[in-house]
Amino acid sequence: MAGPSFKFGQHVLQASCVFFKSRLSIGFVNRKPVVPGHVLVSPLRVVERFGELSSEEVADLFMATQTISGVVEKHFQGTSLTMAIQDGPEAGQTVKHVHVHILPRRSGDFPQNDEVYEALAKHDKEMGEDARWRTEEEMAEEASVLAKYFNCQVDSS
Amino acid sequence: MAGPSFKFGQHVLQASCVFFKSRLSIGFVNRKPVVPGHVLVSPLRVVERFGELSSEEVADLFMATQTISGVVEKHFQGTSLTMAIQDGPEAGQTVKHVHVHILPRRSGDFPQNDEVYEALAKHDKEMGEDARWRTEEEMAEEASVLAKYFNCQVDSS
C-alpha cells in the first residue's frame, strides 16, 4: 500500500488503514471498533450528506459495501451484519463525510441484540476510561490482512 | 395505485402501502413506525441477505433509498436521517427480505440520540401494550401523500 493519506471529513486517514479502493469509494478500518471487524466505507469525495452523492457514487458506495461486508462477515466469522448510516448531526454523525458502518454480528456478541447500536452511537466519542483508541500500527495490521481479500492496489491517487 | 400486493419476505404487502416503485425496488410505509416518516425500501425480488443481491439491484436499491430519504426528510421536517439494514437474524432481521430502514431525525426526537436504535430493534415485535400496529387505512393514507412526491405509478406488475 502506497500513498500518504485520504481525506475523511475533517480527518486525515492514513493509507495504511485503507484496505479497499474502488473507483469512487474506499473501505477502511476504524480506531474504535464496536465489534471485531467493524469497518467503514466512504465515497472518495468529501461529501457531508447522503443526498449530495451522485448516482454513480451511490452505486459504487453500496457495491463496495456489499463486497466488503461479505469479506468481513467471513473473516470475522460473523453470521449476520449490521449496516448503518448516521446522516446528519441529529442522527449522530460526527465525521462530516458520508460513511457506512459495517459490523459483522454473531449470536451473543451483545447481551441484547440491539445494544450494538448504543455502542455504535458512543464509539467515536472520546470520553471515559473505555475510550482506548487503537494505534495506527494495530489498524495497519488489520487493514493489511483484509486487503489480501481484494484484488486492488490501495494508494491515495 | 392499482394492483393487489407485493411480496415482502413471508408477508404480503398491500399495494396501497407502496408509495415508490423503481425498476427493481419499492418504497413503502410500515405498520409500526419508530418515528414519523419511518419507511422501508426493498428490492422487488424476494432476497433474504444483502450479499445475494445483484449489482444492479444494489445500485437501484440505494438510488431509491437516496430519493426516498430526501423526500421523507423534507416531508416530515427532519434535519438528519438514520438509515440501517439488519442483515441476518443476529442483526435483528425478522422479515426474510432485504430492507433498508429510513428514519427522518430531528433534534429532541429521542431523549438520547441513540435510543432510536433500541426502538428500531423492538419496533416489529408484537408484544406488550404499546404494540399498536397501524391499520391498512392509516398506512394507505400516508403512502398516498408520499406517492405525490414521486413521478411513478405504483402497481404490482
Side-chain angles (χ1 to χ4, degrees):
Chain A
M1 269 177 263
S5 61
F6 294 87
K7 280 188 188 162
F8 180 42
Q10 64 271 43
H11 300 294
V12 171
L13 188 65
Q14 296 307 314
S16 59
C17 299
V18 177
F19 60 82
F20 174 93
K21 186 167 177 288
S22 62
R23 199 167 65 80
L24 300 172
S25 310
I26 49 170
F28 49 103
V29 300
N30 78 61
R31 288 181 71 180
K32 212 176 162 199
V34 162
V35 293
H38 172 192
V39 298
L40 303 174
V41 193
S42 271
L44 275 164
R45 189 165 67 96
V46 179
V47 171
E48 185 167 345
R49 293 291 311 270
F50 182 57
E52 296 163 35
L53 294 175
S54 72
S55 299
E56 262 200 310
E57 285 172 321
V58 169
D60 190 275
L61 181 66
F62 286 96
M63 284 195 266
T65 297
Q66 188 188 42
T67 302
I68 292 168
S69 64
V71 162
V72 294
E73 180 175 339
K74 182 182 169 193
H75 184 78
F76 290 94
Q77 298 167 310
T79 50
S80 295
L81 290 157
T82 294
M83 286 171 274
I85 305 174
Q86 298 166 315
D87 186 42
E90 287 72 33
Q93 183 181 23
T94 51
V95 179
K96 295 182 174 189
H97 191 148
V98 176
H99 54 288
V100 184
H101 291 269
I102 302 177
L103 298 91
R105 303 296 309 276
R106 52 173 115 168
S107 185
D109 56 3
F110 285 87
Q112 296 285 327
N113 176 283
D114 54 308
E115 287 173 24
V116 68
Y117 293 115
E118 201 176 329
L120 189 59
K122 287 180 187 156
H123 96 285
D124 58 358
K125 295 184 179 61
E126 288 199 74
M127 58 183 184
E129 287 169 25
D130 62 343
R132 196 186 86 80
W133 291 44
R134 299 197 296 177
T135 63
E136 271 178 20
E137 289 68 30
E138 287 174 284
M139 293 165 73
E141 192 180 324
E142 183 175 277
S144 155
V145 170
L146 288 174
K148 295 193 180 104
Y149 285 93
F150 305 103
N151 188 21
C152 63
Q153 185 71 35
V154 176
D155 61 42
S156 61
S157 61
Chain B
M1 269 176 264
S5 62
F6 294 87
K7 280 188 189 163
F8 181 42
Q10 64 271 41
H11 301 293
V12 171
L13 188 65
Q14 297 307 312
S16 60
C17 299
V18 177
F19 60 83
F20 174 93
K21 187 166 177 287
S22 63
R23 199 166 65 81
L24 299 172
S25 311
I26 49 170
F28 49 102
V29 300
N30 79 60
R31 289 182 71 180
K32 212 177 162 198
V34 161
V35 292
H38 173 193
V39 299
L40 304 174
V41 193
S42 271
L44 276 164
R45 188 165 68 96
V46 179
V47 170
E48 185 168 344
R49 293 292 311 270
F50 182 57
E52 295 163 34
L53 295 176
S54 71
S55 299
E56 262 200 311
E57 285 171 321
V58 169
D60 190 274
L61 181 66
F62 287 95
M63 283 195 267
T65 297
Q66 189 188 42
T67 302
I68 292 168
S69 62
V71 163
V72 295
E73 181 175 338
K74 182 182 168 189
H75 184 78
F76 291 93
Q77 298 167 311
T79 50
S80 295
L81 291 157
T82 294
M83 286 171 272
I85 305 174
Q86 298 166 313
D87 187 43
E90 286 72 33
Q93 183 181 24
T94 51
V95 179
K96 295 182 175 188
H97 191 149
V98 176
H99 55 289
V100 184
H101 292 268
I102 302 177
L103 297 91
R105 303 295 309 277
R106 54 173 115 168
S107 185
D109 57 1
F110 284 87
Q112 296 285 327
N113 177 283
D114 53 309
E115 287 173 24
V116 67
Y117 293 116
E118 200 176 329
L120 190 59
K122 287 179 186 156
H123 95 287
D124 57 359
K125 295 183 179 61
E126 288 198 74
M127 57 183 183
E129 286 169 25
D130 63 342
R132 197 186 86 80
W133 291 44
R134 299 197 296 176
T135 63
E136 271 176 21
E137 288 70 28
E138 287 174 284
M139 293 165 72
E141 192 181 322
E142 183 176 278
S144 156
V145 170
L146 288 175
K148 294 192 181 108
Y149 285 92
F150 306 102
N151 189 22
C152 64
Q153 185 70 35
V154 177
D155 60 40
S156 62
S157 60

